[in-house]
Every structure is written in C-alpha cells, then in structure tokens.
Amino acid sequence: MKQGFLAICAAATALLAASVVQAGTLDTVKARGKLVCGVSLATPGFAAPDDKGRMQGFDADVCRSVAAAVFGDGDKIEFVPTNINTRFQALQSGEIDMLSRQTTQTFSREASLGLDFGPTVFYDGQGLMVAKSLGVSSAKELTDAAICTLPGTTTAQNLSDFFRTIGGRFELVVFESPDENRAAFFAGRCEAISSDRSDLASIRAVANNPDDYIVLPETISKEPLAPAVRQNDSNWRDIMSWSVWMLIAAEEKGITQANVDEMLKSQDPDIQRMLGVTDELGAMFGLDNKWGYNVIKAVGNYGEVFERNLGEKTRLGLTRGPNAQWNAGGLVYAPPFR
C-alpha cells in the first residue's frame, strides 16, 4: 500500500512539473508576478536574511539577476529556503522556478534528476576544517578521524576516494541539518568537518572565535557550483544562463552598478548590445530589450556580487582565485553577446 501511495505521489509530482514546463516557466513566472527561487537555509555569504529580514548573499544575488531580467526589478522575488535532501524535489515539482543553492553540477544529477544546470557561478572544491588545537596541518594526518558532514551530498564519496588514495580510514558522522552539523563540530564531536571550501569559510565565519579554526590546504575534489532549472524548457534555461553571463561580461567590460547609466553612451558595440542600446537580444528570450541593463542595475557585475558577499573584506574573506576573470588568471568567462 505504501509503495502504491509513493508511486501515485511521484506520478503527480512529475505531472505537475511537466505542466509547468509545457506552459513555459517564463509565462508562469510573469503571470505570478514574481520569481520563486530556492536557496540554502541560512548560509552566511551565500543566502541568509539580514537584521531586516532581507535575503542577502551570493546565491541570492544570482536569483535577483534573473528576476531583474524578467521584471526589470530584482526584488520581484520570493526566496524559498531548501535543505539538501529536498532541494531537487522542490525544483522538479514546480515549487520553485530555479535553484541557486551552492549546488555542484555532476553528470548523474544532470542525467537522472530532470535538471539543466546553468553556467558555473563559483569554482569550488571540497576541503576539511579542524580546530587549531588539534595540531593538524594536513588532511593526510586525519587517518581514523571522525568527520562531520551532511547527507545527500557528494561529500562522503569524495572523502572515501581521498582516504583510499592515501591508504587511510575515517569515520563519517552525518547530521541532518547545517545547524546540527556546525554545532557538533564546534562542540568537538568530530575532529574535522568537510564540505566545499566556500561553505567551510561560511561555517568558520559563524564560530564564536573564527581564529580557532583552520581550513586545511588540500582540495580533494572539483565542485563547480551552478544554478539549475527543470529540463525541457530551453528558453528559461537560457534566461538563467545569460543573466549569469551578463554579470560576468559586465565585469570584463567595466560596467558597474554605479556607472551603468553612463555606459549607455558607450560606443563599444558589445556594450551597446548588452545594455539594449542596439539590436534586439531581449526579444529573442521574450524579455525587454533593456534586460541586461536591468540585471546590472539591480545587483552590479560579477565582481561586485563576489566582493560584496564573499570577498576579502567580508566575514568569509575569500580571494577570487579561480573565480577571477579569464584575463586575470581565473576561469570565469562569458560567451560573446552577439
């Protein structure tokens, strides 16, 4: 009986998702009057409410860029906190229009979960963090250690692969929520905690004394973080993807939130197309021709989004590293707007 009920639920979820796609997500979003975007529960730097209840963070600004592209207003948006175990179901079912939640693009996720990923917005990798008092300077010294982590991620497999290569063992201690995971690590229930290095910086930032903890130097995996939408809606995927690329290209071209109005006078053909001065790029997506201008006016360029939420002057204190522009030694690159 239980299996039959679950099968009915799965079929209903698939039907709902199919109906959303058939109608066209852009049409659904426009009719609703707001974008519904799935983010993490509370991850400083990526998605967390400020003291006024306004969602702030890198992932939140990626969501706002899409809302601005669609509506000309980055605040026409509803943020839905999702946990690791339900984030994909929320997207599949149509509960959210897109997912922007420190999510790694992998072969199996794209091939089997009915998702289409957009561009990589953050090049990351899995690491491990320990208390300085442990006296450890390398992950290779953590043989037989208890390691805190969350379920439903690629973390466990990456740890298994890493310790197999060094001939070591470890004990995985899994907690259901980020709060429980952090609290257990800070309480000393695990010698180490493992997640994407950006997430470890976020965890460290909320410690009572962040200087008591150190992220070890090894990066044990590649974790390209990207937003995602449902499959079989190429126009909606393109809107999400090119909104991200607009942020990236704007930084390369020197267009900022502060100077975007002045840049409307630029004689650079690329900038003219990006900001809707010439050509009709927006019409190809069913958007206003000034959609690119609206994206930058709402959140700034990629560099501004990074520095405001994750950069060296924030609590996370991250350097650009591989997330620098391609012409500054990084991997961040946008296709041409032509």
Side-chain angles (χ1 to χ4, degrees), residues 25-292:
T25 307
L26 176 60
D27 292 339
T28 301
V29 171
K30 283 183 173 180
R32 187 195 302 123
K34 64 181 177 181
L35 171 73
V36 181
C37 193
V39 293
S40 54
L41 294 170
T43 305
F46 284 89
D50 60 18
D51 55 4
K52 296 181 180 179
R54 178 178 168 82
M55 191 66 72
Q56 303 287 358
F58 184 88
D59 285 339
D61 280 345
V62 170
C63 296
R64 286 193 177 96
S65 73
V66 177
V70 173
F71 295 109
D73 184 348
D75 288 328
K76 287 193 174 182
I77 190 167
E78 176 185 346
F79 292 103
V80 175
T82 62
N83 66 40
I84 285 176
N85 293 322
T86 64
R87 53 183 165 167
F88 299 128
Q89 293 94 319
L91 184 57
Q92 292 161 342
S93 69
E95 179 185 349
I96 59 177
D97 303 312
M98 64 176 284
L99 179 70
S100 179
R101 191 198 183 285
Q102 291 176 284
T103 298
T104 302
Q105 179 179 11
T106 69
F107 178 93
S108 59
R109 286 174 174 173
E110 188 142 17
S112 66
L113 294 180
L115 309 180
D116 278 335
F117 284 90
T120 298
V121 293
F122 191 95
Y123 291 92
D124 210 344
Q126 187 174 326
L128 295 103
M129 183 165 66
V130 298
K132 287 182 180 178
S133 60
L134 191 64
V136 169
S137 59
S138 169
K140 296 178 181 178
E141 301 173 50
L142 290 175
T143 295
D144 296 322
I147 301 176
C148 288
T149 192
L150 294 166
T153 70
T154 56
T155 303
Q157 181 179 341
N158 293 335
L159 286 170
S160 295
D161 291 346
F162 172 74
F163 279 96
R164 187 180 300 117
T165 61
I166 66 171
R169 298 179 300 174
F170 69 100
E171 177 189 354
L172 195 65
V173 185
V174 179
F175 296 91
E176 288 299 318
S177 76
D179 288 342
E180 291 176 335
N181 194 38
R182 289 191 294 261
F185 172 66
F186 291 143
R189 294 175 61 185
C190 309
E191 283 90 354
I193 187 169
S194 188
S195 185
D196 295 346
R197 295 181 72 87
S198 63
D199 193 42
L200 294 179
S202 182
I203 293 169
R204 183 176 179 268
V206 299
N208 289 333
N209 188 355
D211 290 338
D212 288 344
Y213 301 93
I214 182 173
V215 178
L216 299 175
E218 290 86 357
T219 299
I220 68 172
S221 72
K222 292 187 295 184
E223 305 293 334
L225 308 184
V229 295
R230 286 175 294 278
Q231 282 181 348
N232 302 320
D233 192 343
S234 60
N235 188 62
W236 184 242
R237 180 200 62 212
D238 287 344
I239 289 171
M240 175 188 68
S241 296
W242 285 94
S243 295
V244 171
W245 282 323
M246 181 63 69
L247 301 177
I248 293 170
E251 182 183 20
E252 181 181 348
K253 289 291 185 178
I255 310 171
T256 69
Q257 192 173 31
N259 73 14
V260 66
D261 288 300
E262 185 65 24
M263 283 293 189
L264 290 170
K265 305 172 187 176
S266 172
Q267 297 305 303
D268 184 321
D270 286 337
I271 293 176
Q272 291 178 341
R273 285 189 290 267
M274 288 167 62
L275 300 184
V277 176
T278 61
D279 295 7
E280 295 290 334
L281 300 188
M284 297 180 188
F285 291 155
L287 302 178
D288 186 276
N289 205 43
K290 292 186 67 177
W291 69 276

